[in-house]
Amino acid sequence: METSRRNFLIGTSIVAGSAAVGGYHETLGKAITMQRRGEKAKDAIYGNAPLTEITQKEGVITHSNDFVVKPSVCNGCTTFCSVRVKIDAKSGEVVRVFGNPYSLLSSDPWLPYKTPLEESFKATSGWKESGLEMRSTACSRGNLVYEKLKDPFRVTTPLKRVGKRGEDKWVSISIEQLIKEISEGGNLFGEGEVQGLKAFADTKTLIDAQNPDYGPLANKLCVLGTADEGRQNYMVHRFVQSFGTVNFMGHTSICGLSMRAGEAAYLDDFASSPHMKPDFEHCEFLLSIGTAPAQAGNPFKRQAKLLAKGRTSGALRYVIVTPILTNSDSIAVGDRSRWLPIKPSGDLALVMGMIRVIIEEERYLKAYLAIPSDAAQKTLNEVSFTNASHLVIMDGAKKGEILVDATKAVHVIDKADGLLKNAANVLEADILYEGEVSLEGVKYTVKSSFVLLKEAAFEHSLDFYAKESGVDAQTILELAREFTSYGRSVGVDCHGGTMHSTGFYTTYAIMMLGALVGNLNHKGGMSVGGGKFKDFNGACYNLLAYAGKQKPFGVRIDRARMAYEKSSEYRRKVEQGVNPYPAKDAWFPFSPAIESEVINSSANAYPYKLGALISWNANFVYGQSGSEHLLPLLKDPAKAIPLFVAIDPFINETSRYADYIVPDSVLYETWGVLAPWAGHLTKTTHVRYPILKSPNATFANGEPISMDSFMIELGKALGLSGFGKNAINGTTAKFDFDKPEDFYLRAFENVAMDGANPAPEASDEEIALAGLGEYIPLLQRICTDNWRRVAYVMSRGGRFADKTSAYEGNKMSNAYKKPIAIYNQSVGTAFNSLSGEPYSGVPRYYTPRFYTGAKIDMDSKEFNLLAFSYKSNVLSSYTASVESLRDTRYTTFIDLSTTTAKNYGIAHGDRVVVRSREGKVQGICRIREGLHPRSIGIEHGGGREGEGGMSVQINGTIKEGRIARRSGVNINKLGLSDASRLNIATLSDFVVGSNARQAIPVRIEKL
């Protein structure tokens, strides 16, 4: 101890001496001798910290009258965590944000739902250090994102462009003028007649009589949303489906569609696209590929917390496979944490190599894979089952189909006697069968699903997979053996790293690793989530149904959800006796929606040209790789989008090209009902309601303009069903729908009343403590006898099942019930619409490619590096206007490894340009260890040209853009187009159309 003290004193004297030379002698001298200097702080310990909302003394909580604490949901990223917001009682301004201790997205463990509100403050206080165990936090974004509320670039009144699209010149207009012009059209900009929405609010007249499958005129409206932050059902069911268009889409195609679709193939459910996450808390080995918990992923905060717990107090070991070393890795936990660097897009080869090793060495769980049906699963008391033993017909008219009888019952080979039987009557089936069978008098040549997987994995040697992945063969071998050494408490995960041209099969392969060890529904394995409480269609109301609701039909503008072979185009070619391939352009039958196909498809009038686009907080210009190629189509109203209306509280990179901007509410001014996207094992529903007054312009009824109120008034102006008198269906009566509160408070009531045991009733004390006094009249009017139960849900920010409800023994309580698709029949019987190439129904290796199969040159001498983006743990596309975040992360860089930088003669801090074949970006080079030498990394979230990044003119006054917001690099400007497609199309996954933003061949030059 004395030695340490002596070393400390020696060290401080050295620093003090150095500081004297540098001119800081007085300052540092004061610091070392603990003397005061400058203005005296208010408190010797806490300095000038703001006043607290509560004080705790010996377990007694006293609440300050200066503040009120209300629950809400953070919109700082797509996790949408539940938070508590500290509001100044006098000014009404947000002072601070912290986590909601009742929600698993902010706490682990989280408080039992029936914990009194008063006790929740005590639990998170310093009382007996309970705040350490019950700590409920917000991340850096969540702490500061409320700055958006008062951002000077926020839009609060409707705007109409007065110059050409993209010139950033606007004028304020009244709400009445906005709705009239959007509805009725006219010569709105002195550029000729523009049809208003009334022109195609028509579900009877066909777009094209020669192609009736295109559907009605209503399909000429497309609505683009973003991640579901709790209001998507409102938009889709109350407006989109009332209008009658099939064309609604979120941002999935530019975010994680390859991952979503690959998991949907694995779970054999393209309709609802369920999503899986590891059970971090009980997982013993995790393999995370192309995503890094604590750096990225969803739920962001929760994953980070569970990862930290698992590797310290739990039994978790994990390997993160990414081109860049991330925050997931920790030296402090030794060999429990490991980073495996990989070449961008090398993940498919790596995993196919692992599958080969696991099958070759018979390290897969044979007994589990032999379970052929849910009946056998239940008899054997198993947690899930696969179709590994199901037999796939190899030739004839039914080629690619799974063998079933006339009643659609699956038949398999019984391992006990080698006979073909109904799978429901077999406990152990033969997963290695291939040969001939007879069923109902017909002979078939068949192979089991598992045999097809084995053949696909064995198409290439381990050395080939090593070369293609950039990971040596011995490492792949050892990783496969390690992965299969922990039983079934094993997790696999992937996300944005799969967003390249073969990302669908990459995800399918990654998930298949889990099937080989039987981890679905198993404690410590993989979960599809804990579910949610019934919200929009529940015990009290069906808010999604109403008289006159349309059933939209027809081909979507993105040609998603439908096979080309079902189109009139295909049928005509067959009738004419010509080869039906190629189609005019790509079709995507397995994808729910593809935002990145809208502009080019409309410009090509394939299948038809749109009449109008409504974007709602969407920003594909910033988020879509290669969107620069689409800007000429967007700028000219005659080319793709004649009428463009953006609902957005800011002018972002996309809405700057709109004709009109409709202000939306921001953060804590909004309504919403939402469940966690994934990563939870218990039933969870969050609610959000306005806890701050919106500064937006108001309608005649006093309601501030937002997406919600605007759709009501626009719907009424268009004469749509589902708005106004008796538009809401209750179980015993109908109710009027004139304000958002009429919809959302009833959804809250459904949540409160769900199940045999509804939510408790809130007391007067709790209502006051939660700041719900202003809502009492509304609650009493709308929710009548149930109003106190609804107040209870609101006071806690939602409804949450207790942590103890997660498991039933070793099985997850909310278990996935369908079989895992070792072979996916839907995929295995489908074809590429341009080449006619059949898709593989099992994971298979494909080289990076364009849609028709031409290879992308990943080893070009000219473009010999591969650019990739990675998720920021600080920045996001939602936080461009949050300037305080720049104290933590001012800008983004072009990241290069030390080795690569040396080879190119580039030093840390040099200005560089990165060029792809079709784009370029400039930035500051950051030299760092922990980067694959063939890669260039770019953190996502910088290089903004919207939300205050660029100057705008409103009502003749120029608001100067802020250089700090423009600072950084946007990798999407490097994006490639696909020359094998019709005219202009950005590069995508060749199966599902997800935007390919990873593994872009580039070169780098010093400026």
Side-chain angles (χ1 to χ4, degrees):
M1 180 67 72
E2 188 61 32
T3 301
S4 299
R5 180 175 178 272
R6 186 164 53 248
N7 289 339
F8 169 77
L9 292 173
I10 293 171
T12 55
S13 65
I14 292 171
V15 173
S18 301
V21 175
Y24 293 96
H25 176 260
E26 182 184 356
T27 301
L28 199 50
K30 295 283 187 182
I32 292 169
T33 56
M34 308 299 180
Q35 297 179 49
R36 295 187 184 277
R37 185 169 187 268
E39 185 178 345
K40 185 178 179 180
K42 294 178 181 177
D43 188 279
I45 296 176
Y46 299 110
N48 293 329
L51 296 174
T52 60
E53 62 279 6
I54 65 165
T55 55
Q56 178 273 130
K57 187 174 182 180
E58 297 183 358
V60 177
I61 300 295
T62 304
H63 295 268
S64 170
N65 293 326
D66 295 329
F67 307 102
V68 61
V69 177
K70 300 183 179 183
S72 191
V73 172
C74 175
N75 286 13
C77 76
T78 56
T79 298
F80 304 123
C81 292
S82 183
V83 294
R84 280 177 163 175
V85 183
K86 178 181 176 181
I87 301 170
D88 187 289
K90 292 181 180 178
S91 67
E93 295 188 1
V94 176
V95 178
R96 185 187 168 206
V97 178
F98 32 88
N100 177 4
Y102 289 99
S103 168
L104 53 76
L105 290 187
S106 290
S107 298
D108 191 85
W110 57 99
L111 288 174
Y113 194 57
K114 291 185 179 180
T115 302
L117 211 54
E118 182 77 11
E119 287 297 311
S120 73
F121 289 97
K122 182 177 177 180
T124 54
S125 74
W127 170 242
K128 295 184 177 180
E129 296 192 342
S130 61
L132 296 178
E133 173 68 10
M134 296 306 306
R135 190 178 182 205
S136 189
T137 58
C139 72
S140 56
R141 289 185 289 253
N143 269 291
L144 297 170
V145 71
Y146 65 84
E147 288 184 8
K148 294 177 71 170
L149 293 162
K150 293 189 173 297
D151 189 81
F153 288 89
R154 180 177 173 178
V155 177
T156 57
T157 60
L159 299 179
K160 177 182 178 179
R161 68 173 173 93
V162 291
K164 294 186 179 299
R165 283 189 183 170
E167 287 186 346
D168 298 312
K169 295 178 181 178
W170 306 89
V171 64
S172 299
I173 60 173
S174 68
I175 291 176
E176 293 74 20
Q177 181 184 346
L178 169 75
I179 290 179
K180 182 176 187 296
E181 293 187 4
I182 288 173
S183 302
E184 299 178 6
N187 186 5
L188 302 174
F189 308 100
E191 301 168 350
E193 290 295 310
V194 178
Q195 286 186 314
L197 296 183
K198 283 184 178 179
F200 32 90
D202 181 345
T203 59
K204 306 296 183 184
T205 307
L206 294 175
I207 290 175
D208 184 349
Q210 300 300 311
N211 295 284
D213 53 329
Y214 290 179
L217 285 175
N219 288 344
K220 289 173 74 68
L221 170 65
C222 178
V223 180
L224 293 183
T226 182
D228 184 7
E229 37 78 282
R231 298 185 289 166
Q232 192 174 98
N233 276 295
Y234 182 104
M235 170 64 91
V236 172
H237 289 275
R238 301 308 300 206
F239 180 79
V240 174
Q241 292 189 10
S242 181
F243 193 91
T245 178
V246 294
N247 289 313
F248 175 85
M249 52 207 76
H251 79 158
T252 304
S253 77
I254 62 174
C255 178
L257 175 58
S258 55
M259 177 271 297
R260 294 301 296 269
E263 294 193 11
Y266 176 77
L267 296 173
D268 198 19
D269 187 354
F270 287 113
S272 58
S273 296
H275 177 50
M276 295 176 292
K277 281 289 181 184
D279 174 11
F280 286 92
E281 193 164 6
H282 297 97
C283 187
E284 295 184 23
F285 184 80
L286 169 66
L287 181 62
S288 190
I289 302 177
T291 187
Q295 177 77 37
N298 190 339
F300 171 62
K301 250 184 355 185
R302 177 165 174 77
Q303 285 191 157
K305 185 170 287 189
L306 293 180
L307 184 79
K309 284 187 174 184
R311 70 191 182 197
T312 50
S313 57
L316 178 64
R317 294 175 180 272
Y318 60 93
V319 176
I320 307 295
V321 184
T322 53
I324 191 169
L325 180 64
T326 68
N327 287 342
S328 294
D329 198 41
S330 174
I331 294 175
V333 294
D335 63 359
R336 283 194 171 203
S337 162
R338 195 163 81 250
W339 170 55
L340 177 59
I342 192 169
K343 180 176 70 176
S345 80
D347 36 14
L348 178 55
L350 168 72
V351 177
M352 291 307 298
M354 290 180 65
I355 291 174
R356 178 183 174 113
V357 171
I358 292 168
I359 295 176
E360 196 166 29
E361 296 188 353
E362 297 187 16
R363 299 182 68 85
Y364 52 89
L365 198 58
K366 299 181 184 67
Y368 169 76
L369 292 171
I371 302 169
S373 67
D374 57 347
Q377 177 197 322
K378 291 171 184 174
T379 300
L380 296 168
N381 196 29
E382 263 291 353
V383 297
S384 59
F385 73 106
T386 77
N387 71 0
S389 61
H390 296 190
L391 303 173
V392 181
I393 300 168
M394 300 310 297
D395 53 22
K398 293 186 176 182
K399 181 179 180 180
E401 295 182 17
I402 290 174
L403 185 68
V404 297
D405 64 18
T407 67
K408 303 298 182 184
V410 172
H411 279 56
V412 297
I413 301 296
D414 191 333
K415 188 73 180 291
D417 55 20
L419 298 178
L420 183 70
K421 298 178 183 177
N422 186 324
N425 301 322
V426 177
L427 287 181
E428 183 182 6
D430 187 352
I431 65 172
L432 293 172
Y433 185 83
E434 52 183 315
E436 286 195 349
V437 296
S438 291
L439 180 63
E440 297 176 332
V442 181
K443 285 187 176 181
Y444 299 96
T445 300
V446 297
K447 292 181 180 180
S448 74
S449 297
F450 187 80
V451 167
L452 292 177
L453 175 65
K454 178 180 178 179
E455 290 179 349
F458 280 48
E459 282 182 359
H460 303 288
S461 68
L462 189 58
D463 286 336
F464 172 87
Y465 290 130
K467 180 178 180 296
E468 293 299 302
S469 67
V471 178
D472 66 85
Q474 185 63 30
T475 299
I476 297 176
L477 181 73
E478 291 172 358
L479 185 60
R481 290 172 178 170
E482 184 177 17
F483 181 81
T484 51
S485 298
Y486 291 87
R488 302 172 73 171
S489 295
V490 176
V492 289
D493 200 11
C494 63
H495 205 134
T498 66
M499 291 290 285
H500 49 72
S501 64
T502 57
F504 167 75
Y505 280 115
T506 298
T507 300
Y508 196 2
I510 291 170
M511 294 301 117
M512 195 62 68
L513 291 171
L516 297 177
V517 297
N519 66 3
L520 180 61
N521 299 333
H522 196 281
K523 190 174 185 178
M526 296 295 287
S527 163
V528 292
K532 65 177 184 177
F533 293 91
K534 292 180 180 178
D535 42 34
F536 299 109
N537 184 5
C540 304
Y541 312 93
N542 183 352
L543 297 165
L544 308 182
Y546 46 89
K549 184 179 181 181
Q550 303 296 320
K551 293 183 178 180
F553 67 96
V555 179
R556 291 169 54 88
I557 187 66
D558 53 5
R559 299 172 305 285
R561 303 188 197 177
M562 180 175 171
Y564 164 60
E565 291 76 15
K566 294 182 179 180
S567 70
S568 55
E569 177 187 352
Y570 179 89
R571 187 186 67 249
R572 278 194 303 272
K573 289 180 178 179
V574 171
E575 290 172 351
Q576 293 165 6
V578 300
N579 186 347
Y581 301 101
K584 191 175 179 181
D585 200 4
W587 291 65
F588 306 99
F590 314 124
S591 301
I594 310 177
E595 178 185 29
S596 43
E597 289 288 328
V598 171
I599 305 302
N600 56 304
S601 296
S602 183
N604 293 332
Y606 184 65
Y608 43 81
K609 185 175 181 179
L610 292 173
L613 176 69
I614 296 177
S615 72
W616 167 39
N617 293 333
N619 196 1
F620 61 88
V621 171
Y622 180 70
Q624 179 177 343
S625 182
S627 63
E628 297 285 306
H629 307 308
L630 304 178
L631 291 184
L633 306 180
L634 197 57
K635 287 179 178 179
D636 186 347
K639 289 184 176 179
I641 309 296
L643 178 63
F644 183 4
V645 180
I647 305 172
D648 204 310
F650 295 91
I651 303 173
N652 66 27
E653 286 86 344
T654 300
S655 56
R656 67 184 295 205
Y657 296 103
D659 299 317
Y660 297 89
I661 296 181
V662 182
D664 197 8
S665 48
V666 175
L667 285 167
Y668 318 127
E669 303 162 1
T670 62
W671 295 91
V673 185
L674 65 162
W677 188 54
H680 64 300
L681 303 180
T682 52
K683 192 177 288 189
T684 302
T685 296
H686 295 100
V687 302
R688 184 179 65 240
Y689 51 92
I691 59 174
L692 299 174
K693 185 177 180 181
S694 171
N696 290 355
T698 59
F699 290 94
N701 64 1
E703 188 69 23
I705 190 168
S706 65
M707 180 281 286
D708 316 82
S709 58
F710 174 68
M711 300 329 290
I712 293 173
E713 299 306 324
L714 179 61
K716 289 179 178 180
L718 296 172
L720 302 182
S721 302
F723 302 99
K725 191 72 174 175
N726 292 330
I728 289 178
N729 290 341
T731 53
T732 59
K734 293 183 181 292
F735 305 92
D736 296 346
F737 182 21
D738 296 308
K739 290 187 175 185
E741 63 205 33
D742 298 327
F743 180 89
Y744 288 106
L745 285 177
R746 289 184 168 93
F748 296 177
E749 188 175 354
N750 278 341
V751 171
M753 301 305 295
D754 187 31
N757 299 301
E761 293 188 343
S763 65
D764 289 342
E765 291 75 18
E766 291 208 331
I767 290 171
L769 194 56
L772 287 172
E774 62 186 303
Y775 277 95
I776 291 176
L778 282 177
L779 288 168
Q780 291 175 337
R781 175 177 66 83
I782 292 174
C783 305
T784 60
D785 293 344
N786 298 324
W787 79 270
R788 285 188 179 272
R789 299 187 190 278
V790 179
Y792 192 95
V793 170
M794 294 170 71
S795 70
R796 283 148 178 81
R799 189 173 177 190
F800 315 105
D802 291 345
K803 188 167 184 173
T804 53
S805 65
Y807 308 98
E808 298 171 0
N810 279 328
K811 182 181 179 180
M812 293 171 183
S813 298
N814 190 50
Y816 189 73
K817 294 178 174 58
K818 294 180 68 174
I820 292 169
I822 304 296
Y823 170 83
N824 189 289
Q825 178 177 295
S826 298
V827 180
T829 55
F831 302 87
N832 184 294
S833 62
L834 293 185
S835 67
E837 168 193 11
Y839 292 126
S840 172
V842 295
R844 180 172 180 263
Y845 179 73
Y846 292 87
T847 58
R849 54 177 279 174
F850 295 102
Y851 184 81
T852 56
K855 293 182 180 180
I856 300 172
D857 187 356
M858 308 295 277
D859 297 301
S860 161
K861 289 184 178 180
E862 182 181 4
F863 300 98
N864 56 358
L865 296 173
L866 298 173
F868 72 94
S869 66
Y870 62 95
K871 188 74 72 71
S872 173
N873 63 329
V874 176
L875 305 176
S876 79
S877 59
Y878 294 82
T879 60
S881 60
V882 183
E883 300 199 344
S884 292
L885 269 181
R886 300 189 185 281
D887 294 338
T888 303
R889 187 73 46 82
Y890 183 83
T891 190
T892 60
F893 302 91
I894 294 169
D895 290 333
L896 211 57
S897 76
T898 304
T899 302
T900 309
K902 185 176 180 181
N903 291 340
Y904 283 85
I906 295 172
H908 184 72
D910 281 350
R911 288 196 58 80
V912 295
V913 58
V914 177
R915 302 181 193 272
S916 68
R917 289 181 179 86
E918 300 176 71
K920 67 176 183 178
V921 294
Q922 293 184 16
I924 297 172
C925 188
R926 178 170 61 182
I927 311 302
R928 55 175 292 175
E929 301 297 336
L931 200 65
H932 192 282
R934 277 215 55 198
S935 68
I936 290 177
I938 298 176
E939 183 179 14
H940 185 62
R944 299 301 305 270
E945 295 175 351
E947 299 189 35
M950 303 292 280
S951 298
V952 294
Q953 178 180 305
I954 300 176
N955 299 329
T957 300
I958 295 176
K959 287 187 176 183
E960 292 289 343
R962 298 186 177 180
I963 193 168
R965 300 189 187 187
R966 296 198 299 276
S967 177
V969 185
N970 180 8
I971 192 175
N972 291 326
K973 290 180 178 292
L974 295 171
L976 304 179
S977 62
D978 187 342
S980 71
R981 298 276 308 279
L982 178 64
N983 295 325
I984 297 174
T986 55
L987 182 65
S988 67
D989 176 272
F990 77 100
V991 180
V992 298
S994 49
N995 183 231
R997 67 170 186 265
Q998 306 287 14
I1000 302 169
V1002 295
R1003 68 174 187 262
I1004 188 168
E1005 303 165 10
K1006 182 177 176 180
L1007 290 175

